[in-house]
Amino acid sequence: MQLKLTWRVAEGKDIDLLVSREQKIAETRDVLLEKGLLCETAEDADYIRSLRTKKQAGIWLTYEEAEIYSGDILVLEEI
C-alpha cells in the first residue's frame, strides 16, 4: 500500500511524495538527498516528526512501524 506524504524540507517548502508503507524512512531521506532536495544537514538527522500526531520516530523504521499514515506532514530532526 502506498502512502501520500508531505516532507517539509525548508521553511515554506514542502515536497509531496508517494511511498510504500514498507519502505524505511531513511531510504526516502537518502533519495531526497541524492536529488538535492534536502540540505546537507539533513544527512545528520536521526528522527522524523509527524506534525499531525506530534510523534517522533527513528528514521531506521519503516513508515508502518513508525505509525505514519497518508496525509502526514513530516519534518526531519536532529537530537
Side-chain angles (χ1 to χ4, degrees):
M1 173 193 240
Q2 290 204 327
L3 305 173
K4 183 177 180 180
L5 304 172
T6 299
W7 275 56
R8 184 150 293 158
V9 296
E11 198 63 39
K13 185 177 178 190
D14 294 343
I15 299 173
D16 293 327
L17 300 170
L18 282 176
V19 297
S20 169
R21 68 181 185 173
E22 291 88 19
Q23 182 175 336
K24 292 195 182 280
I25 299 165
E27 292 172 359
T28 305
R29 181 205 58 184
D30 293 344
V31 169
L32 294 175
L33 279 167
E34 287 175 16
K35 299 284 185 186
L37 298 172
L38 294 176
C39 61
E40 291 178 13
T41 59
E43 193 170 352
D44 298 328
D46 292 324
Y47 297 92
I48 197 151
R49 179 172 301 278
S50 166
L51 296 182
R52 181 183 59 83
T53 63
K54 308 294 187 232
K55 285 185 178 179
Q56 186 179 32
I59 63 169
W60 52 89
L61 298 174
T62 66
Y63 290 100
E64 185 174 29
E65 293 168 336
E67 298 179 355
I68 294 173
Y69 303 104
S70 281
D72 274 338
I73 299 173
L74 305 174
V75 178
L76 283 171
E77 294 184 341
E78 287 183 56
I79 299 281

